[in-house]
């Protein structure tokens, strides 16, 4: 059965076509600069990469091209071969604790939850509507980034603000749930255990850490929105809220401008004053650039602080610490900076293994290390395809 997995952003659309349940990736690719000039798309099939420039007026145009390419490239003979479509949706609010077949009610809910994720949910819906128009007769499934975190207990999801704010939907939701769930299932299988306790460090351009207890999310670093928790590529993570009125007054800026700084001009970019990309920063570190060194030191400090927090939350009953996503999978230097600070709980980095493990599975601690640290490449697309298959087969 062929399943299409879709991840629609405001100006991009990533897709993968799977053969399920074999989880065979048939074709994958991405459209960029949708609704902006100089649109383009990439398709990877049979190890070959096709790249084309094409104006992409809107998501509908991108979907038209995608479906036409699938036929032209002889990947499918007919659109009826696609049996179901899975759509990433960032915010499922306090309602959805699992993926769900999309109905009119679900569409309405996604619209309602847009006020909690104005940058993401509307784009996810536009992507859904564009695909739905072409693939009317198949089931479409919403896979929510927040669903995995529904198991977080009230004591951890409630902010110490007036309790009535909970009625206004102010609470911790957590994000990257699809990735944290994928890693949890992977580790369950790898360790051959029904229930696992993990600290998962999903550190890419966006970053979040999750404490997994008995294979369920127990706490996570992102909160009401994805700006909180760790320092990220361009996001600030947790800060004192009083900074907002102070800076708005000092710089004579609006709350929207302040939030834009927190989301797009902070983190690695804000401190290094150079780049949000960890590869650029690491290069600057080798050149002894002081701001880059400060950026990487703060970055590691924030991750260590959350690991320590979750180590205690899990009462030290830990099957593994896992690093994943762009930085977690690839940046041996970032991992070393973090893991070296975990010696006090008898975590012993194997530097050679750490250096050798780039973008692939690996155990990067020594045999004698009390807790093992793993690198596991995440795969959010396959998790989308799995849920879509489970709910539509
Ligand atoms: P993601 O959001 O998961 O795609 O991760 C993006 C981040 O991963 C960026 O900061 C990249 O610099 C970083 N990254 C990707 N590949 C590498 C690599 N080979 N070495 C170091 N960092 C990398």
């Amino acid at each position: 059965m062929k399943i299409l997995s879709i991840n629609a952003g405001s100006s991009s659309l990533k897709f993968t076509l799977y053969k399920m349940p074999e989880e065979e990736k048939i074709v994958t690719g991405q459209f960029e600069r949708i609704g902006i000039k100089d649109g383009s798309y990439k398709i990877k099939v049979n190890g070959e990469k096709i790249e084309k420039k094409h104006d992409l007026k809107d998501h509908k145009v991108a979907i038209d091209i995608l479906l036409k390419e699938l036929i032209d490239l002889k990947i499918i003979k007919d659109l009826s071969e696609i049996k179901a479509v899975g759509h990433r949706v960032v915010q499922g609010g306090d309602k959805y604790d699992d993926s769900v077949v999309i109905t009119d009610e679900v569409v309405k809910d996604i619209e309602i939850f847009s006020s909690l994720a104005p940058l993401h949910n509307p784009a996810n819906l536009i992507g859904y509507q564009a695909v739905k128009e072409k693939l009317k007769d198949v089931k479409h499934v919403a896979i929510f980034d927040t669903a995995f975190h529904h198991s977080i207990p009230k004591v951890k999801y409630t902010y110490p603000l007036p309790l009535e704010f909970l009625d206004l939907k102010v609470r911790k939701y957590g994000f990257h749930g699809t990735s944290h769930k994928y890693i949890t299932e992977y580790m369950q299988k790898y360790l051959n255990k029904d229930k696992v306790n993990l600290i998962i460090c999903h550190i890419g351009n966006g970053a979040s850490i999750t404490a997994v207890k008995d294979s369920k999310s127990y706490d996570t670093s992102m909160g009401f929105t994805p700006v909180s928790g760790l320092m990220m590529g361009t996001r600030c993570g947790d800060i004192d809220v009083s900074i907002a009125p102070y800076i708005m007054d000092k710089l004579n800026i609006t709350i929207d401008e302040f939030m834009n700084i927190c989301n797009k001009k902070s983190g690695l970019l804000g401190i290094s004053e150079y780049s949000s990309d960890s590869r650029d920063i690491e290069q600057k570190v080798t050149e002894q650039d002081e701001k880059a060194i400060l950026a990487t030191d703060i970055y590691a400090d924030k991750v260590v602080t959350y690991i320590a927090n979750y180590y205690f939350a899990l009462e030290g009953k830990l099957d593994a610490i896992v690093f994943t996503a762009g930085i977690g999978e690839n940046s041996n230097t970032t991992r070393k900076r973090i893991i070296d600070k975990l010696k006090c709980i008898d975590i012993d980095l194997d530097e050679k293994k750490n250096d050798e493990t780039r973008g692939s599975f690996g155990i990067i601690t020594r045999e004698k290390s009390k807790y093992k640290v793993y690198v596991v490449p995440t795969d959010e697309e396959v998790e989308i395809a799995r849920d879509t298959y489970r709910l539509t087969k």
Side-chain angles (χ1 to χ4, degrees):
M1 162 172 180
K2 291 194 180 89
I3 282 181
L4 187 59
S5 127
I6 296 281
N7 182 353
S10 54
S11 65
S12 70
L13 187 142
K14 293 183 195 154
F15 63 89
T16 308
L17 186 69
Y18 282 94
K19 185 173 174 205
M20 296 299 282
E22 295 86 347
E23 299 187 357
E24 184 192 318
K25 236 178 220 184
I26 304 170
V27 56
T28 181
Q30 135 168 45
F31 289 80
E32 275 162 10
R33 302 182 65 84
I34 300 173
I36 315 172
K37 70 176 173 64
D38 301 330
S40 65
Y41 63 95
K42 291 180 203 153
I43 299 181
K44 222 164 114 182
V45 57
N46 300 326
E48 211 185 307
K49 232 186 200 170
I50 300 161
E51 289 194 46
K52 290 187 187 171
K53 293 204 183 313
H54 197 296
D55 270 344
L56 304 166
K57 185 167 70 79
D58 53 28
H59 287 71
K60 274 188 204 161
V61 173
I63 293 299
D64 280 350
I65 294 172
L66 165 60
L67 297 175
K68 187 171 180 305
E69 285 281 15
L70 291 181
I71 291 172
D72 291 352
L73 292 165
K74 301 195 171 24
I75 294 162
I76 52 171
K77 282 200 193 91
D78 194 271
L79 292 184
S80 64
E81 281 180 48
I82 301 172
K83 298 292 183 204
V85 186
H87 300 265
R88 178 186 180 213
V89 179
V90 165
Q91 178 55 276
D94 51 5
K95 179 163 177 181
Y96 294 100
D97 62 357
D98 194 2
S99 304
V100 64
V101 173
I102 305 181
T103 59
D104 290 347
E105 184 190 338
V106 175
V107 170
K108 260 192 213 130
D109 286 336
I110 297 171
E111 275 166 356
I112 291 168
F113 298 139
S114 286
S115 63
L116 299 171
L119 300 177
H120 296 100
N121 272 30
N124 301 152
L125 258 189
I126 287 171
Y128 158 72
Q129 275 147 354
V131 185
K132 171 86 179 161
E133 208 175 292
K134 285 281 162 186
L135 299 172
K136 285 194 177 75
D137 299 327
V138 305
K139 283 189 176 152
H140 293 253
V141 174
I143 288 86
F144 299 102
D145 267 19
T146 46
F148 183 62
H149 298 301
H150 258 246
S151 44
I152 293 177
K154 192 168 186 178
V155 67
K156 292 190 182 292
Y157 73 64
T158 308
Y159 289 109
L161 289 161
L163 193 58
E164 68 198 77
F165 284 16
L166 266 181
D167 299 334
L168 298 174
K169 312 264 180 225
V170 174
R171 49 163 284 175
K172 175 181 284 203
Y173 291 101
F175 299 88
H176 293 143
T178 315
S179 174
H180 290 296
K181 184 170 170 229
Y182 172 85
I183 298 292
T184 303
E185 288 170 354
Y186 185 101
M187 292 306 291
Q188 269 178 300
K189 222 171 174 182
Y190 182 84
L191 297 171
N192 198 20
K193 287 179 92 170
D194 284 346
K195 290 180 175 168
V196 286
N197 281 10
L198 308 168
I199 296 175
I200 303 172
C201 308
H202 174 115
I203 50 175
N205 193 26
S208 68
I209 300 196
T210 293
V212 172
K213 189 176 183 181
D214 296 335
S215 295
K216 291 185 174 149
S217 176
Y218 184 59
D219 202 357
T220 194
S221 59
M222 281 179 172
F224 180 61
T225 71
V227 75
S228 56
L230 299 170
M231 168 180 178
M232 306 176 218
T234 61
R235 286 173 246 169
C236 58
D238 295 337
I239 56 165
D240 184 334
V241 290
S242 306
I243 296 168
Y246 178 81
I247 287 294
M248 284 162 65
D249 182 49
K250 284 274 169 210
L251 302 185
N252 192 23
I253 57 173
T254 63
I255 187 69
D256 284 350
E257 286 166 324
F258 179 77
M259 288 312 297
N260 192 47
I261 292 171
C262 292
N263 274 297
K264 303 215 170 124
K265 295 181 181 169
S266 301
L268 288 174
L269 175 65
I271 301 292
S272 70
E273 296 184 330
Y274 178 63
S275 171
S276 64
D277 192 299
S278 87
R279 285 165 289 201
D280 297 340
I281 308 280
E282 292 298 340
Q283 178 56 38
K284 282 278 180 191
V285 168
T286 63
E287 295 162 17
Q288 302 299 319
D289 182 278
E290 276 183 26
K291 292 179 213 163
I293 292 170
L294 180 62
T296 53
D297 284 347
I298 300 174
Y299 192 93
D301 181 65
K302 301 295 180 200
V303 177
V304 170
T305 303
Y306 267 100
I307 292 177
N309 179 346
Y310 292 161
Y311 173 76
F312 280 96
L314 296 171
E315 298 171 17
K317 292 175 196 135
L318 197 56
D319 292 300
I321 295 176
V322 182
F323 280 83
T324 191
I327 297 174
E329 290 166 27
N330 294 291
S331 178
N332 52 332
T333 45
T334 305
R335 291 190 307 241
K336 178 173 162 47
R337 252 178 240 120
I338 295 163
I339 298 168
D340 276 351
K341 290 194 167 71
L342 301 174
K343 282 198 180 112
C344 57
I345 52 167
D346 295 326
I347 293 183
D348 195 356
L349 181 71
D350 184 324
E351 295 211 16
K352 186 165 174 286
K353 283 192 195 150
N354 182 44
D355 291 346
E356 285 166 359
T357 307
R358 312 283 294 270
S360 57
F361 175 86
I363 301 174
I364 57 172
T365 37
R366 288 181 210 281
E367 271 299 312
K368 67 178 171 64
S369 183
K370 184 167 175 194
Y371 301 103
K372 282 197 171 80
V373 180
Y374 293 76
V375 174
V376 179
T378 194
D379 194 339
E380 290 161 288
E381 276 73 29
V382 85
E383 197 59 43
I384 292 175
R386 281 177 191 170
D387 272 8
T388 306
Y389 178 70
R390 171 169 62 85
L391 294 169
T392 59
K393 70 182 176 206

